[in-house]
């Protein structure tokens, strides 16, 4: 199998210094502010990003450890296949969050609704455009009976 390597383009600076107690999705972190420091060699790529209200951050779960293809996610007490969860414990620990973009100033992005740990390496940024995603017939599987737990669910440290 071919090895794939990525180089971070920046780093997240957030109020969450450890995994334990961190909200588990952006919707459970409404109002939480953070910054993304983009490394100077990538600053030019930020041109015109300030016209978007939301961005998609792709990042590396640097504190996560991979343990199994079956995990017990935060909002359930049953094991599920890792690919049927948003668990940070994955074969390739890649995270994805849609966050509100407040401001772009030089190489610093001010963002809101952040559930990302301080020091997390950022791999990529994409503008969020809801019209690019179809919402036709969405089903949310096992989460349908558990999604109501989102606001009170916090990281309990099980994946780091």
């Amino acid at each position: 199998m071919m090895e794939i390597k990525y180089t971070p383009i920046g780093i997240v600076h957030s109020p969450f210094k450890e995994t334990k107690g961190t909200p588990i999705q952006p919707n459970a972190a409404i109002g939480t502010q953070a910054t993304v420091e983009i490394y100077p060699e990538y600053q030019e790529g930020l041109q015109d990003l300030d016209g978007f209200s939301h961005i998609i951050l792709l990042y590396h779960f640097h504190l996560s450890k991979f343990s199994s293809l079956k995990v017990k996610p935060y909002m359930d007490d049953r094991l599920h296949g890792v690919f049927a969860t948003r668990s940070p414990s994955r074969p390739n620990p890649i995270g994805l969050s849609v966050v509100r973009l407040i401001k772009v100033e030089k190489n610093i992005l001010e963002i809101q609704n952040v559930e990302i740990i301080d020091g997390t390496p950022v791999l990529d940024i994409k503008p969020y455009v809801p019209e690019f995603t179809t919402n036709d017939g969405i089903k949310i599987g096992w989460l349908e009976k558990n999604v109501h737990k989102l606001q009170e669910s916090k990281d309990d440290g099980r994946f780091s």
Side-chain angles (χ1 to χ4, degrees):
M1 188 178 298
M2 162 177 80
E3 182 178 356
I4 300 170
K5 293 184 181 182
Y6 289 99
T7 301
I9 62 166
I11 190 166
V12 173
H13 300 288
S14 84
F16 304 112
K17 305 304 182 198
E18 61 181 8
T19 59
K20 192 168 185 176
T22 299
I24 61 168
Q25 296 298 331
N27 204 24
I30 299 295
T32 303
Q33 295 193 341
T35 59
V36 177
E37 175 187 354
I38 300 302
Y39 299 138
E41 61 267 34
Y42 300 105
Q43 181 178 338
E44 187 177 340
L46 297 174
Q47 181 178 334
D48 301 321
L49 188 63
D50 60 351
F52 294 88
S53 66
H54 290 75
I55 56 175
I56 301 166
L57 293 178
L58 296 166
Y59 48 91
H60 175 70
F61 283 122
H62 67 295
L63 299 178
S64 184
K65 61 180 188 234
F66 176 65
S67 58
S68 175
L69 290 173
K70 290 200 173 182
V71 297
K72 190 183 296 184
Y74 297 116
M75 294 191 297
D76 202 7
D77 57 2
R78 291 184 29 233
L79 287 174
H80 296 274
V82 70
F83 303 125
T85 75
R86 294 180 63 151
S87 164
S89 177
R90 319 185 70 74
N92 293 305
I94 298 169
L96 176 150
S97 294
V98 177
V99 299
R100 177 177 288 281
L101 178 62
I102 303 302
K103 180 167 75 170
V104 179
E105 190 168 312
K106 297 183 180 174
N107 67 321
I108 305 296
L109 309 179
E110 289 186 26
I111 58 176
Q112 248 184 5
N113 309 338
V114 180
E115 86 307 6
I116 305 169
I117 303 296
D118 187 61
T120 296
V122 176
L123 301 176
D124 201 2
I125 301 166
K126 297 177 185 287
Y128 175 71
V129 183
E131 291 81 4
F132 287 1
T133 305
T134 178
N135 294 324
D136 185 37
I138 292 176
K139 297 189 311 185
I140 60 171
W142 65 269
L143 273 165
E144 188 154 341
K145 67 179 181 196
N146 293 308
V147 75
H148 70 280
K149 300 176 185 175
L150 178 61
Q151 295 305 320
E152 68 263 7
S153 294
K154 302 282 187 237
D155 188 317
D156 60 10
R158 75 178 80 176
F159 296 117
S160 58

